[in-house]
PDB file of all heavy atoms in Angstrom:
ATOM      1  N   TYR A   1     -36.332  81.698 -65.500  1.00 95.00           N
ATOM      2  CA  TYR A   1     -37.351  82.552 -64.893  1.00 95.00           C
ATOM      3  C   TYR A   1     -38.308  81.719 -64.043  1.00 95.00           C
ATOM      4  O   TYR A   1     -38.622  82.067 -62.900  1.00 95.00           O
ATOM      5  CB  TYR A   1     -38.109  83.289 -66.005  1.00 95.00           C
ATOM      6  CG  TYR A   1     -39.316  84.070 -65.553  1.00 95.00           C
ATOM      7  CD1 TYR A   1     -39.182  85.383 -65.117  1.00 95.00           C
ATOM      8  CD2 TYR A   1     -40.589  83.504 -65.578  1.00 95.00           C
ATOM      9  CE1 TYR A   1     -40.291  86.115 -64.710  1.00 95.00           C
ATOM     10  CE2 TYR A   1     -41.701  84.220 -65.164  1.00 95.00           C
ATOM     11  CZ  TYR A   1     -41.550  85.525 -64.734  1.00 95.00           C
ATOM     12  OH  TYR A   1     -42.657  86.236 -64.324  1.00 95.00           O
ATOM     13  N   TRP A   2     -38.776  80.593 -64.601  1.00 94.00           N
ATOM     14  CA  TRP A   2     -39.746  79.773 -63.871  1.00 94.00           C
ATOM     15  C   TRP A   2     -39.077  78.924 -62.790  1.00 94.00           C
ATOM     16  O   TRP A   2     -39.695  78.630 -61.756  1.00 94.00           O
ATOM     17  CB  TRP A   2     -40.539  78.899 -64.835  1.00 94.00           C
ATOM     18  CG  TRP A   2     -41.522  79.697 -65.630  1.00 94.00           C
ATOM     19  CD1 TRP A   2     -41.488  79.970 -66.962  1.00 94.00           C
ATOM     20  CD2 TRP A   2     -42.682  80.373 -65.115  1.00 94.00           C
ATOM     21  NE1 TRP A   2     -42.543  80.765 -67.323  1.00 94.00           N
ATOM     22  CE2 TRP A   2     -43.299  81.025 -66.208  1.00 94.00           C
ATOM     23  CE3 TRP A   2     -43.247  80.492 -63.854  1.00 94.00           C
ATOM     24  CZ2 TRP A   2     -44.461  81.784 -66.055  1.00 94.00           C
ATOM     25  CZ3 TRP A   2     -44.415  81.248 -63.697  1.00 94.00           C
ATOM     26  CH2 TRP A   2     -44.997  81.878 -64.797  1.00 94.00           C
ATOM     27  N   ALA A   3     -37.816  78.551 -63.001  1.00 92.00           N
ATOM     28  CA  ALA A   3     -37.098  77.802 -61.968  1.00 92.00           C
ATOM     29  C   ALA A   3     -36.984  78.627 -60.694  1.00 92.00           C
ATOM     30  O   ALA A   3     -37.104  78.102 -59.573  1.00 92.00           O
ATOM     31  CB  ALA A   3     -35.717  77.394 -62.468  1.00 92.00           C
ATOM     32  N   ASP A   4     -36.768  79.936 -60.832  1.00 93.00           N
ATOM     33  CA  ASP A   4     -36.692  80.819 -59.669  1.00 93.00           C
ATOM     34  C   ASP A   4     -38.019  80.876 -58.910  1.00 93.00           C
ATOM     35  O   ASP A   4     -38.046  81.232 -57.733  1.00 93.00           O
ATOM     36  CB  ASP A   4     -36.321  82.239 -60.099  1.00 93.00           C
ATOM     37  CG  ASP A   4     -34.813  82.410 -60.230  1.00 93.00           C
ATOM     38  OD1 ASP A   4     -34.077  81.453 -59.925  1.00 93.00           O
ATOM     39  OD2 ASP A   4     -34.387  83.508 -60.648  1.00 93.00           O
ATOM     40  N   ARG A   5     -39.097  80.533 -59.587  1.00 91.00           N
ATOM     41  CA  ARG A   5     -40.413  80.540 -58.958  1.00 91.00           C
ATOM     42  C   ARG A   5     -40.873  79.134 -58.585  1.00 91.00           C
ATOM     43  O   ARG A   5     -42.053  78.909 -58.313  1.00 91.00           O
ATOM     44  CB  ARG A   5     -41.422  81.212 -59.910  1.00 91.00           C
ATOM     45  CG  ARG A   5     -41.185  82.718 -60.025  1.00 91.00           C
ATOM     46  CD  ARG A   5     -41.728  83.296 -61.311  1.00 91.00           C
ATOM     47  NE  ARG A   5     -41.602  84.768 -61.334  1.00 91.00           N
ATOM     48  CZ  ARG A   5     -40.466  85.424 -61.525  1.00 91.00           C
ATOM     49  NH1 ARG A   5     -39.350  84.745 -61.742  1.00 91.00           N
ATOM     50  NH2 ARG A   5     -40.431  86.744 -61.506  1.00 91.00           N
ATOM     51  N   ASP A   6     -39.917  78.192 -58.612  1.00 90.00           N
ATOM     52  CA  ASP A   6     -40.182  76.800 -58.234  1.00 90.00           C
ATOM     53  C   ASP A   6     -41.191  76.109 -59.144  1.00 90.00           C
ATOM     54  O   ASP A   6     -41.956  75.250 -58.704  1.00 90.00           O
ATOM     55  CB  ASP A   6     -40.661  76.714 -56.780  1.00 90.00           C
ATOM     56  CG  ASP A   6     -39.589  77.179 -55.802  1.00 90.00           C
ATOM     57  OD1 ASP A   6     -38.395  76.932 -56.071  1.00 90.00           O
ATOM     58  OD2 ASP A   6     -39.940  77.796 -54.789  1.00 90.00           O
ATOM     59  N   PHE A   7     -41.205  76.514 -60.420  1.00 90.00           N
ATOM     60  CA  PHE A   7     -42.026  75.824 -61.410  1.00 90.00           C
ATOM     61  C   PHE A   7     -41.120  74.961 -62.285  1.00 90.00           C
ATOM     62  O   PHE A   7     -39.975  75.315 -62.559  1.00 90.00           O
ATOM     63  CB  PHE A   7     -42.775  76.824 -62.297  1.00 90.00           C
ATOM     64  CG  PHE A   7     -44.045  77.348 -61.696  1.00 90.00           C
ATOM     65  CD1 PHE A   7     -44.017  78.359 -60.744  1.00 90.00           C
ATOM     66  CD2 PHE A   7     -45.278  76.837 -62.073  1.00 90.00           C
ATOM     67  CE1 PHE A   7     -45.172  78.864 -60.183  1.00 90.00           C
ATOM     68  CE2 PHE A   7     -46.451  77.325 -61.529  1.00 90.00           C
ATOM     69  CZ  PHE A   7     -46.398  78.336 -60.580  1.00 90.00           C
ATOM     70  N   ILE A   8     -41.661  73.842 -62.744  1.00 88.00           N
ATOM     71  CA  ILE A   8     -40.938  72.970 -63.660  1.00 88.00           C
ATOM     72  C   ILE A   8     -41.487  73.194 -65.064  1.00 88.00           C
ATOM     73  O   ILE A   8     -42.701  73.204 -65.276  1.00 88.00           O
ATOM     74  CB  ILE A   8     -41.093  71.492 -63.259  1.00 88.00           C
ATOM     75  CG1 ILE A   8     -40.574  71.294 -61.826  1.00 88.00           C
ATOM     76  CG2 ILE A   8     -40.355  70.587 -64.224  1.00 88.00           C
ATOM     77  CD1 ILE A   8     -40.838  69.902 -61.273  1.00 88.00           C
ATOM     78  N   VAL A   9     -40.616  73.378 -66.023  1.00 90.00           N
ATOM     79  CA  VAL A   9     -41.027  73.651 -67.394  1.00 90.00           C
ATOM     80  C   VAL A   9     -41.230  72.342 -68.147  1.00 90.00           C
ATOM     81  O   VAL A   9     -40.373  71.456 -68.124  1.00 90.00           O
ATOM     82  CB  VAL A   9     -39.977  74.510 -68.126  1.00 90.00           C
ATOM     83  CG1 VAL A   9     -40.336  74.673 -69.605  1.00 90.00           C
ATOM     84  CG2 VAL A   9     -39.861  75.871 -67.454  1.00 90.00           C
ATOM     85  N   GLY A  10     -42.388  72.222 -68.806  1.00 82.00           N
ATOM     86  CA  GLY A  10     -42.633  71.107 -69.705  1.00 82.00           C
ATOM     87  C   GLY A  10     -43.142  69.833 -69.075  1.00 82.00           C
ATOM     88  O   GLY A  10     -43.246  68.817 -69.749  1.00 82.00           O
ATOM     89  N   VAL A  11     -43.500  69.846 -67.802  1.00 70.00           N
ATOM     90  CA  VAL A  11     -44.032  68.658 -67.130  1.00 70.00           C
ATOM     91  C   VAL A  11     -45.545  68.794 -67.066  1.00 70.00           C
ATOM     92  O   VAL A  11     -46.076  69.859 -66.749  1.00 70.00           O
ATOM     93  CB  VAL A  11     -43.438  68.511 -65.717  1.00 70.00           C
ATOM     94  CG1 VAL A  11     -44.022  67.298 -65.018  1.00 70.00           C
ATOM     95  CG2 VAL A  11     -41.926  68.404 -65.804  1.00 70.00           C
ATOM     96  N   ALA A  12     -46.247  67.731 -67.336  1.00 64.00           N
ATOM     97  CA  ALA A  12     -47.700  67.781 -67.471  1.00 64.00           C
ATOM     98  C   ALA A  12     -48.433  67.908 -66.142  1.00 64.00           C
ATOM     99  O   ALA A  12     -49.557  68.382 -66.100  1.00 64.00           O
ATOM    100  CB  ALA A  12     -48.192  66.538 -68.218  1.00 64.00           C
ATOM    101  N   GLU A  13     -47.833  67.440 -65.046  1.00 67.00           N
ATOM    102  CA  GLU A  13     -48.557  67.503 -63.791  1.00 67.00           C
ATOM    103  C   GLU A  13     -47.776  68.302 -62.753  1.00 67.00           C
ATOM    104  O   GLU A  13     -46.611  68.639 -62.951  1.00 67.00           O
ATOM    105  CB  GLU A  13     -48.837  66.093 -63.241  1.00 67.00           C
ATOM    106  CG  GLU A  13     -47.588  65.350 -62.795  1.00 67.00           C
ATOM    107  CD  GLU A  13     -47.037  64.450 -63.876  1.00 67.00           C
ATOM    108  OE1 GLU A  13     -47.704  64.277 -64.914  1.00 67.00           O
ATOM    109  OE2 GLU A  13     -45.941  63.922 -63.669  1.00 67.00           O
ATOM    110  N   GLY A  14     -48.475  68.622 -61.641  1.00 67.00           N
ATOM    111  CA  GLY A  14     -47.818  69.352 -60.572  1.00 67.00           C
ATOM    112  C   GLY A  14     -47.671  70.826 -60.899  1.00 67.00           C
ATOM    113  O   GLY A  14     -48.383  71.395 -61.731  1.00 67.00           O
ATOM    114  N   LYS A  15     -46.728  71.462 -60.232  1.00 75.00           N
ATOM    115  CA  LYS A  15     -46.484  72.896 -60.402  1.00 75.00           C
ATOM    116  C   LYS A  15     -45.611  73.090 -61.630  1.00 75.00           C
ATOM    117  O   LYS A  15     -44.384  73.133 -61.543  1.00 75.00           O
ATOM    118  CB  LYS A  15     -45.810  73.443 -59.147  1.00 75.00           C
ATOM    119  CG  LYS A  15     -45.824  74.963 -59.046  1.00 75.00           C
ATOM    120  CD  LYS A  15     -45.234  75.417 -57.709  1.00 75.00           C
ATOM    121  CE  LYS A  15     -45.218  76.934 -57.626  1.00 75.00           C
ATOM    122  NZ  LYS A  15     -44.582  77.409 -56.375  1.00 75.00           N
ATOM    123  N   SER A  16     -46.256  73.197 -62.785  1.00 84.00           N
ATOM    124  CA  SER A  16     -45.498  73.213 -64.035  1.00 84.00           C
ATOM    125  C   SER A  16     -46.046  74.268 -64.994  1.00 84.00           C
ATOM    126  O   SER A  16     -47.167  74.750 -64.845  1.00 84.00           O
ATOM    127  CB  SER A  16     -45.541  71.846 -64.702  1.00 84.00           C
ATOM    128  OG  SER A  16     -46.875  71.523 -65.074  1.00 84.00           O
ATOM    129  N   VAL A  17     -45.246  74.605 -65.985  1.00 90.00           N
ATOM    130  CA  VAL A  17     -45.645  75.529 -67.047  1.00 90.00           C
ATOM    131  C   VAL A  17     -45.210  74.933 -68.382  1.00 90.00           C
ATOM    132  O   VAL A  17     -44.302  74.105 -68.436  1.00 90.00           O
ATOM    133  CB  VAL A  17     -44.995  76.921 -66.863  1.00 90.00           C
ATOM    134  CG1 VAL A  17     -45.510  77.608 -65.615  1.00 90.00           C
ATOM    135  CG2 VAL A  17     -43.483  76.825 -66.838  1.00 90.00           C
ATOM    136  N   PRO A  18     -45.851  75.347 -69.489  1.00 92.00           N
ATOM    137  CA  PRO A  18     -45.445  74.836 -70.800  1.00 92.00           C
ATOM    138  C   PRO A  18     -44.033  75.282 -71.165  1.00 92.00           C
ATOM    139  O   PRO A  18     -43.502  76.251 -70.614  1.00 92.00           O
ATOM    140  CB  PRO A  18     -46.471  75.449 -71.757  1.00 92.00           C
ATOM    141  CG  PRO A  18     -47.604  75.879 -70.901  1.00 92.00           C
ATOM    142  CD  PRO A  18     -47.019  76.236 -69.572  1.00 92.00           C
ATOM    143  N   GLN A  19     -43.440  74.588 -72.109  1.00 94.00           N
ATOM    144  CA  GLN A  19     -42.141  75.002 -72.619  1.00 94.00           C
ATOM    145  C   GLN A  19     -42.277  76.303 -73.408  1.00 94.00           C
ATOM    146  O   GLN A  19     -43.357  76.656 -73.895  1.00 94.00           O
ATOM    147  CB  GLN A  19     -41.558  73.912 -73.522  1.00 94.00           C
ATOM    148  CG  GLN A  19     -41.160  72.646 -72.787  1.00 94.00           C
ATOM    149  CD  GLN A  19     -40.543  71.612 -73.713  1.00 94.00           C
ATOM    150  OE1 GLN A  19     -40.676  71.703 -74.922  1.00 94.00           O
ATOM    151  NE2 GLN A  19     -39.862  70.640 -73.138  1.00 94.00           N
ATOM    152  N   TYR A  20     -41.176  77.031 -73.523  1.00 95.00           N
ATOM    153  CA  TYR A  20     -41.159  78.249 -74.326  1.00 95.00           C
ATOM    154  C   TYR A  20     -41.514  77.893 -75.766  1.00 95.00           C
ATOM    155  O   TYR A  20     -40.986  76.949 -76.348  1.00 95.00           O
ATOM    156  CB  TYR A  20     -39.781  78.905 -74.271  1.00 95.00           C
ATOM    157  CG  TYR A  20     -39.673  80.161 -75.100  1.00 95.00           C
ATOM    158  CD1 TYR A  20     -40.074  81.386 -74.575  1.00 95.00           C
ATOM    159  CD2 TYR A  20     -39.181  80.129 -76.403  1.00 95.00           C
ATOM    160  CE1 TYR A  20     -39.983  82.550 -75.319  1.00 95.00           C
ATOM    161  CE2 TYR A  20     -39.091  81.286 -77.168  1.00 95.00           C
ATOM    162  CZ  TYR A  20     -39.496  82.490 -76.625  1.00 95.00           C
ATOM    163  OH  TYR A  20     -39.420  83.636 -77.380  1.00 95.00           O
ATOM    164  N   HIS A  21     -42.435  78.658 -76.334  1.00 94.00           N
ATOM    165  CA  HIS A  21     -42.875  78.408 -77.712  1.00 94.00           C
ATOM    166  C   HIS A  21     -42.269  79.454 -78.637  1.00 94.00           C
ATOM    167  O   HIS A  21     -42.544  80.650 -78.517  1.00 94.00           O
ATOM    168  CB  HIS A  21     -44.404  78.467 -77.801  1.00 94.00           C
ATOM    169  CG  HIS A  21     -44.937  78.202 -79.170  1.00 94.00           C
ATOM    170  ND1 HIS A  21     -44.832  76.973 -79.781  1.00 94.00           N
ATOM    171  CD2 HIS A  21     -45.571  79.013 -80.052  1.00 94.00           C
ATOM    172  CE1 HIS A  21     -45.388  77.032 -80.970  1.00 94.00           C
ATOM    173  NE2 HIS A  21     -45.834  78.262 -81.175  1.00 94.00           N
ATOM    174  N   ASP A  22     -41.437  79.009 -79.554  1.00 94.00           N
ATOM    175  CA  ASP A  22     -40.760  79.900 -80.498  1.00 94.00           C
ATOM    176  C   ASP A  22     -41.522  79.915 -81.818  1.00 94.00           C
ATOM    177  O   ASP A  22     -41.564  78.907 -82.524  1.00 94.00           O
ATOM    178  CB  ASP A  22     -39.322  79.428 -80.711  1.00 94.00           C
ATOM    179  CG  ASP A  22     -38.491  80.434 -81.510  1.00 94.00           C
ATOM    180  OD1 ASP A  22     -39.090  81.350 -82.110  1.00 94.00           O
ATOM    181  OD2 ASP A  22     -37.255  80.298 -81.526  1.00 94.00           O
ATOM    182  N   ARG A  23     -42.130  81.047 -82.149  1.00 91.00           N
ATOM    183  CA  ARG A  23     -42.875  81.160 -83.408  1.00 91.00           C
ATOM    184  C   ARG A  23     -41.990  81.600 -84.560  1.00 91.00           C
ATOM    185  O   ARG A  23     -42.470  81.793 -85.683  1.00 91.00           O
ATOM    186  CB  ARG A  23     -44.031  82.151 -83.257  1.00 91.00           C
ATOM    187  CG  ARG A  23     -45.098  81.707 -82.294  1.00 91.00           C
ATOM    188  CD  ARG A  23     -46.387  82.470 -82.508  1.00 91.00           C
ATOM    189  NE  ARG A  23     -46.271  83.896 -82.197  1.00 91.00           N
ATOM    190  CZ  ARG A  23     -47.262  84.780 -82.374  1.00 91.00           C
ATOM    191  NH1 ARG A  23     -48.414  84.378 -82.883  1.00 91.00           N
ATOM    192  NH2 ARG A  23     -47.101  86.045 -82.049  1.00 91.00           N
ATOM    193  N   GLY A  24     -40.702  81.792 -84.276  1.00 90.00           N
ATOM    194  CA  GLY A  24     -39.786  82.141 -85.346  1.00 90.00           C
ATOM    195  C   GLY A  24     -39.813  83.600 -85.741  1.00 90.00           C
ATOM    196  O   GLY A  24     -39.510  83.940 -86.889  1.00 90.00           O
ATOM    197  N   VAL A  25     -40.142  84.498 -84.804  1.00 91.00           N
ATOM    198  CA  VAL A  25     -40.165  85.927 -85.143  1.00 91.00           C
ATOM    199  C   VAL A  25     -38.769  86.537 -85.065  1.00 91.00           C
ATOM    200  O   VAL A  25     -38.576  87.701 -85.423  1.00 91.00           O
ATOM    201  CB  VAL A  25     -41.130  86.711 -84.226  1.00 91.00           C
ATOM    202  CG1 VAL A  25     -42.537  86.167 -84.342  1.00 91.00           C
ATOM    203  CG2 VAL A  25     -40.666  86.690 -82.773  1.00 91.00           C
ATOM    204  N   GLY A  26     -37.791  85.750 -84.594  1.00 90.00           N
ATOM    205  CA  GLY A  26     -36.420  86.224 -84.572  1.00 90.00           C
ATOM    206  C   GLY A  26     -36.021  86.934 -83.302  1.00 90.00           C
ATOM    207  O   GLY A  26     -34.941  87.551 -83.252  1.00 90.00           O
TER     208      GLY A  26
END
């Protein structure tokens, strides 16, 4: 989803977003 928007997942700087957070709700 974020790759299509030219965002990098999990990188601290630049155009980035946090990694998916799984709380274990199934």
Side-chain angles (χ1 to χ4, degrees):
Y1 172 87
W2 287 111
D4 275 357
R5 289 156 174 75
D6 296 325
F7 277 80
I8 302 173
V9 174
V11 179
E13 68 265 352
K15 195 175 179 183
S16 64
V17 294
Q19 291 182 344
Y20 179 85
H21 181 67
D22 189 346
R23 294 198 294 177
V25 301

